[in-house]
Amino acid sequence: PSELALDDKWDKCVDTFLRRAVYGTLSGGLAGLILFRGGGSRMASMTFGMGIGVGSAYEECSKELEEIIPSLRKE
């Protein structure tokens, strides 16, 4: 059942990754729509929001997978 635990964690990580990337992009786009006039500034705001969402998802998933796969630990 360690394979099942890994599959469960992996599915949860993919779900978290996609969800946070979408939420970050939407929140950055909304902030860009409210705060900026130019298209380039709005795109930068969306990209920044997506980067924050993806980064937080990566951090959480790496911690969760580290519990199951000890070889991922940094030495």
Side-chain angles (χ1 to χ4, degrees):
S2 66
E3 294 89 18
L4 295 177
L6 181 61
D7 286 344
D8 186 41
K9 293 278 186 180
W10 184 251
D11 288 343
K12 186 177 177 186
C13 282
V14 169
D15 182 52
T16 301
F17 188 89
L18 291 175
R19 221 179 250 177
R20 288 191 183 176
V22 169
Y23 292 158
T25 303
L26 290 176
S27 63
L30 182 64
L33 223 109
I34 293 171
L35 298 175
F36 304 117
R37 286 185 170 202
S41 301
R42 289 180 179 170
M43 185 62 71
S45 175
M46 282 176 50
T47 306
F48 182 73
M50 184 177 69
I52 291 201
V54 167
S56 67
Y58 176 78
E59 184 69 26
E60 183 178 329
C61 286
S62 67
K63 286 180 182 178
E64 285 190 24
L65 290 176
E66 189 176 275
E67 295 171 2
I68 292 183
I69 306 171
S71 64
L72 288 178
R73 292 186 184 176
K74 296 176 181 139
E75 298 176 12

